[in-house]
């Protein structure tokens, strides 16, 4: 969208303004979305999505017709399925433990999961 998080006035579909969302969170598509703060824990059940996708999901699950016919567990499962669908299209990203650097959320690398190889 060409907006600068925390700097440019751009109203996103949820009604928030990017000037109030100072951190850029990367999407697998290469785009970033503006968020209030970088995630401090990895949680594969919580997702951040491109603005229009998040707005669509929020509207779908706020509709009383849909949520009235589903139990909370079924609604959560349906919502997770949508997030996974949009993640496969590179429009959503699970919340990954990140550090803030120059206004961007940079995912932390876990050194205990890195395998180092070398010759002795």
């Amino acid at each position: 969208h060409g907006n600068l998080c925390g700097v440019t006035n751009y109203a996103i579909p949820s009604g928030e303004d990017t000037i109030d969302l100072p951190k850029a969170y990367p999407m697998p598509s290469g785009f970033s979305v503006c968020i209030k703060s970088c995630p401090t824990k990895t949680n594969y059940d919580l997702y951040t999505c491109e603005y229009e996708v998040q707005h669509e999901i929020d509207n779908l699950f706020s509709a009383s017709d849909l949520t009235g016919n589903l139990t909370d567990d079924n609604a959560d499962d349906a919502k997770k399925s949508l997030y996974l669908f949009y993640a496969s299209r590179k429009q959503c990203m699970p919340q990954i433990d990140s550090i803030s650097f120059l206004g961007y959320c940079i995912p932390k690398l876990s050194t205990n999961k890195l395998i180092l190889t070398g010759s002795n």
Side-chain angles (χ1 to χ4, degrees):
H1 294 165
N3 53 306
L4 297 174
C5 300
V7 177
T8 309
N9 282 318
Y10 174 75
I12 60 177
S14 69
E16 293 180 284
D17 193 315
T18 58
I19 202 161
D20 298 321
L21 305 169
K23 304 297 176 189
Y25 192 72
M27 296 287 105
S29 63
F31 293 107
S32 293
V33 296
C34 300
I35 60 176
K36 289 182 183 173
S37 62
C38 298
T40 57
K41 291 171 62 175
T42 296
N43 187 334
Y44 293 105
D45 289 330
L46 297 176
Y47 285 80
T48 300
C49 299
E50 292 179 3
Y51 305 126
E52 292 80 9
V53 170
Q54 188 64 57
H55 185 66
E56 179 182 325
I57 292 170
D58 290 344
N59 282 342
L60 182 63
F61 284 91
S62 67
S64 60
D65 291 342
L66 175 66
T67 55
N69 294 329
L70 294 175
T71 65
D72 287 343
D73 288 341
N74 288 340
D76 287 344
D77 290 345
K79 198 171 192 177
K80 286 178 194 175
S81 294
L82 268 178
Y83 281 130
L84 288 171
F85 169 75
Y86 283 113
S88 73
R89 296 182 66 188
K90 300 181 179 183
Q91 294 176 292
C92 291
M93 171 95 169
Q95 291 188 1
I96 305 295
D97 185 14
S98 304
I99 59 169
S100 177
F101 182 72
L102 298 175
Y104 290 89
C105 296
I106 309 296
K108 290 182 183 178
L109 294 177
S110 178
T111 55
N112 63 351
K113 293 184 180 176
L114 294 177
I115 299 173
L116 302 174
T117 60
S119 57
N120 290 331

